[in-house]
Amino acid sequence: MPRRHPIRFLPIALLVPVALTAQTPARRHVDVPAVDGMVKAYYDVITGPAGEPRQWSRDRSLYIPDLRFVATGVGTHGPYARVMDHQAFVEGSDSAMVHDGFFEREVHRVTRSYGNIVQVFSTYEERRTADGPVEGRGINALQLFWDGKRWWVASAIWFDEDPGHPIPKEFLP
């Protein structure tokens, strides 16, 4: 495939920081200046006991416009990828998280960076109560983008561990 000449796309590239700033809901300053803050916020916003509303406005402030979430796994008919925008993710998960309680926490992280991008493989455990038994594990793969002022999550894809796909040693504490 031929490479595109970067100068042809320069005007669009110059608009991206303005577009990101203009379309973003209010955010917590501590979330966005460092990768650690972004990953912590990624987990904090969805975590809480039964009956407690999730922090969807704060969650929305972490992502670039048109972010895609991709839930992956292997079902009865083989591998699948369920692609969602932020609103579809909220609509598909809020009720269960609030009804049942949901606590997801990072237990290990592998990070690679280059220029203004970072790839985070974040191994997680999930529970229904803060001190309850682990009910699931998996890996969130987050791609982050630095716009010169703050970090943004550009995409998030995850895979829940299952008997046929144990988490590899390099992604465990």
Side-chain angles (χ1 to χ4, degrees):
M1 174 162 53
R3 293 183 60 104
R4 295 185 174 149
H5 194 279
I7 300 298
R8 287 179 32 201
F9 298 98
L10 187 58
I12 292 172
L14 292 174
L15 294 175
V16 170
V18 173
L20 291 175
T21 303
Q23 296 178 14
T24 303
R27 61 178 160 68
R28 288 183 41 182
H29 176 71
V30 297
D31 293 344
V32 299
V35 170
D36 284 344
M38 292 294 286
V39 174
K40 182 179 181 324
Y42 179 82
Y43 287 103
D44 283 353
V45 296
I46 61 170
T47 294
E52 181 179 293
R54 298 309 182 250
Q55 303 172 47
W56 296 123
S57 180
R58 179 181 173 203
D59 188 51
R60 203 173 357 272
S61 77
L62 303 175
Y63 310 113
I64 63 170
D66 298 324
L67 159 96
R68 291 294 175 254
F69 290 112
V70 184
T72 67
V74 179
T76 55
H77 299 295
Y80 65 86
R82 186 169 144 236
V83 180
M84 301 161 277
D85 63 11
H86 188 267
Q87 191 58 40
F89 174 74
V90 170
E91 290 169 2
S93 61
D94 183 65
S95 179
M97 286 179 178
V98 173
H99 183 267
D100 300 333
F102 185 78
F103 290 80
E104 187 173 81
R105 72 177 187 98
E106 182 179 57
V107 296
H108 187 70
R109 184 186 311 170
V110 175
T111 304
R112 299 288 183 262
S113 62
Y114 174 73
N116 65 344
I117 61 172
V118 170
Q119 169 70 48
V120 176
F121 275 80
S122 177
T123 305
Y124 61 85
E125 294 178 338
E126 69 179 64
R127 295 172 163 80
R128 295 299 161 248
T129 61
D131 56 354
V134 173
E135 295 197 13
R137 302 187 318 172
I139 296 178
N140 286 309
L142 308 174
Q143 294 76 42
L144 284 78
F145 161 72
W146 175 256
D147 73 358
K149 295 180 182 174
R150 61 157 291 175
W151 286 100
W152 298 90
V153 177
S155 66
I157 185 170
W158 60 90
F159 189 94
D160 293 330
E161 182 180 45
D162 64 33
H165 303 91
I167 296 174
K169 280 185 179 181
E170 64 266 28
F171 297 115
L172 291 171

